[in-house]
Amino acid sequence: MAIMVNQVGYEAAVSHKKAVADRPGSYVLKNAAGEILWQGQAGEAVSDPLCGETLYPLDFGSVQAPGKYHLESAAGEKSDTFTIDRDVLAGVHNAMIKALYFQRCGCALEEKYAGPYVHAACHTGDSEVYGEPGHMLMAQGGWHDAGDYGRYITPAAVTIGQLLYAYWLYTMAFQEQLNIPESGNGLPDVLNECRYELEWMLKMQREDGGVYHKLTAWSHADFIMPQEDKDLFYAYAVSSLATADFCACMALAARVYRGSSTAGKEEKEFSLRLEAAARRAWKWLAENPEPLLFTNPQGSNTGEYGDTTDADERLWAAAEMMALAAWLKEDTREYREELCRILDTGLAVTDFGWTDVAGFAALAVLTDIDAAKAAGEETVQRLQTAVLEEADRLAALGEHNAFGMAMGAGDFCWGSNMVVTNRGILLALACKVLEIQEDGTAGRVARYEEVMQAQIDYLLGKNITGYSFVTGFGEHAYRHPHLRTTAADGIDDPMAGWVSGGPNGKPGDELAIRMIPAGTPPMKCYLDREECYSLNEMTIYWNSSAVFVTAYLRQKAWDREREQGEQA
């Protein structure tokens, strides 16, 4: 018997409170004292293609009283315990940001900030520019990207982009201090944490503006603590992929740090450094118009983060440079022309992953009045249409599975939880577009928000595996991420806040291939094993994507609560 719930909980003032059961019949919702606050029948059966089961929805949206609850069947089977309360996502939202602190490279993690997850400073030496023996680069710092100890520009830019846009659009969701070394300095901690990564990224730019693609050893380290990894690190070749993503990220960050309501002299000076770096990168891109892609040298096995085109990266760079220039009241023609040139190739503009960053160009234009004016009405309408059409397609997917999710069976790939949350970003952008358009959009916004909530419900336990895919949150949170520090630190539980890669219908590691039978429905293709890097690795950009969606939901819940108070 299974009753699948969001194991963290449901926002009190939101009517979308749903669970899924694997049997029909009557169900009750009980609080911690055993009192029944809701009872009802399961909904109509749904033959679910994501998990290969016939499932039954439960809707208890009328319950708003704060408390701890569980669902129970007539036969006495119980769900995991969850909370109904206001701002119920605050804890997991903040933990997913704080998790990035535990990936800091080049510094010691101290007990007062890291609790038991302490370690000495790691990777403090200089790195060698690959292919140039003796040419050393001082590029300490930044975040370890994933379960390994490498640092990579393209996923770093995506992570920073998602976090900065989330902060810029939903500022109220980033007010709490996170207990990191910079806490209390007057700047929101999400900007403090992002700066740690941005400072490293700045070190990866050459004087001519080009940006090294990545900084890693020749091969992945064994499962040892980071300070024990003494291999020489290399700065690998400059790529147009890294340079364009870097350009976009720096231009965006220059706006955010200088435009933040808490910005002081130091932040303004930092913003000027970011702006200068963006301009150098843009100059390099203009002087090198042909794609300069990246592949690993033969024999090296660290993350490649390769791509087949740099068009989407250049599009994002053009959009952010145009937005920055418009913000500074400068001439935007050069950037607008490049933006339109790439858009005219038919490039899709609705994705936010490291492979395809074109969705960030839409974010840049459609969330900023000055950028929209600079882009022109025709371009704005083109982007709005693309975003809304994709949002409608995603919302329609939710009508064909029991979880209400914007996922098809083929979407459960390596890092499927990034697909889950990136689609939440697209739906949030669609809501922004509708907010601008205003006329007759309330029902459509509600539909998109319901799907966004379903995506987060899934991530936090309302799925066929029974796991919450965020460490430390939920009665059955996964516990064994593919992460070298948690495997080597001798501590039973991992640090809280890491998003798992999630189910993968085509598993790519030896253990998963051996243990998951061929033909298993995609949502069931998951193991909570640290060996399963194709299912259970974590990355900085899976966290940042989830942070964006929880920020949206937190802010909207507050808006709804305020509106209800005003009406009362």
Side-chain angles (χ1 to χ4, degrees), residues 194-272:
C194 284
R195 181 166 181 172
Y196 194 85
E197 180 80 336
L198 286 162
E199 291 282 8
W200 167 74
M201 294 176 72
L202 288 167
K203 298 174 185 177
M204 293 289 284
Q205 186 178 40
R206 292 191 315 202
E207 289 186 8
D208 68 354
V211 178
Y212 295 110
H213 191 79
K214 66 174 184 173
L215 193 73
T216 76
W218 183 251
S219 299
H220 285 311
D222 291 333
F223 276 66
I224 56 177
M225 291 296 288
Q227 69 271 23
E228 297 169 0
D229 179 18
K230 303 297 185 181
D231 286 352
L232 176 66
F233 269 50
Y234 296 94
Y236 288 80
V238 165
S239 72
S240 57
L241 303 168
T243 304
D245 279 346
F246 175 97
C247 177
C249 181
M250 293 296 154
L252 168 62
R255 277 196 294 149
V256 172
Y257 280 85
R258 204 180 317 174
S260 169
S261 62
T262 58
K265 181 181 178 182
E266 183 179 348
E267 287 71 44
K268 291 175 181 176
E269 291 175 351
F270 180 52
S271 171
L272 290 173

Side-chain angles (χ1 to χ4, degrees), residues 296-552:
N296 272 339
Q298 186 174 1
S300 177
N301 76 345
T302 55
E304 184 171 84
Y305 287 106
D307 205 344
T308 58
T309 177
D310 66 0
D312 53 299
E313 287 82 6
R314 289 178 184 266
L315 180 75
W316 184 21
E320 295 292 357
M321 290 299 291
M322 183 183 70
L324 177 62
W327 189 63
L328 295 172
K329 310 302 181 188
E330 297 177 351
D331 189 346
T332 61
R333 283 177 295 178
E334 175 186 359
Y335 313 120
R336 181 175 65 250
E337 288 172 1
E338 179 70 353
L339 178 81
C340 292
R341 182 190 69 79
I342 299 173
L343 285 176
D344 285 343
T345 66
L347 186 72
V349 291
T350 56
D351 205 353
F352 303 91
W354 64 264
T355 307
D356 186 352
V357 298
F360 288 99
L363 262 176
V365 173
L366 298 180
T367 61
D368 184 84
I369 294 174
D370 292 333
K373 288 179 180 178
E377 185 176 346
E378 181 180 346
T379 296
V380 169
Q381 288 181 348
R382 179 191 299 189
L383 294 174
Q384 288 179 337
T385 298
V387 167
L388 292 177
E389 287 180 350
E390 177 66 359
D392 286 338
R393 184 188 76 84
L394 296 179
L397 287 174
E399 299 171 2
H400 301 287
N401 63 77
F403 299 91
M405 295 178 65
M407 296 285 281
D411 295 323
F412 287 85
C413 54
W414 195 325
S416 63
N417 282 337
M418 179 189 70
V419 180
V420 169
T421 50
N422 277 358
R423 289 184 172 177
I425 296 176
L426 186 281
L427 291 163
L429 179 55
C431 290
K432 180 68 173 178
V433 170
L434 293 175
E435 176 187 313
I436 295 168
Q437 294 182 352
E438 293 184 350
D439 185 35
T441 61
R444 208 168 168 188
V445 168
R447 182 182 179 215
Y448 295 162
E449 289 183 351
E450 184 170 333
V451 178
M452 291 172 65
Q453 183 64 58
Q455 304 294 93
I456 291 298
D457 287 348
Y458 165 87
L459 192 72
L460 297 177
K462 200 183 85 174
N463 62 70
I464 202 67
T465 72
Y467 286 105
S468 165
F469 291 125
V470 182
T471 53
F473 288 88
E475 286 190 7
H476 291 93
Y478 88 104
R479 297 181 62 246
H480 304 288
H482 180 85
L483 173 58
R484 278 159 176 74
T485 50
T486 58
D489 62 12
I491 302 170
D492 286 342
D493 290 320
M495 61 283 289
W498 281 120
V499 175
S500 167
N504 182 356
K506 296 181 179 179
D509 59 83
E510 182 181 348
L511 181 63
I513 292 171
R514 187 171 74 247
M515 293 188 66
I516 298 175
T520 298
M523 195 191 287
K524 290 182 175 178
C525 292
Y526 177 76
L527 298 169
D528 183 18
R529 298 284 293 270
E530 70 184 30
E531 305 97 319
C532 293
Y533 52 84
S534 70
L535 310 177
N536 218 33
E537 193 166 10
M538 38 57 64
T539 72
I540 56 176
Y541 52 93
W542 294 341
N543 266 47
S544 57
S545 179
V547 166
F548 189 107
V549 184
T550 54
Y552 178 95

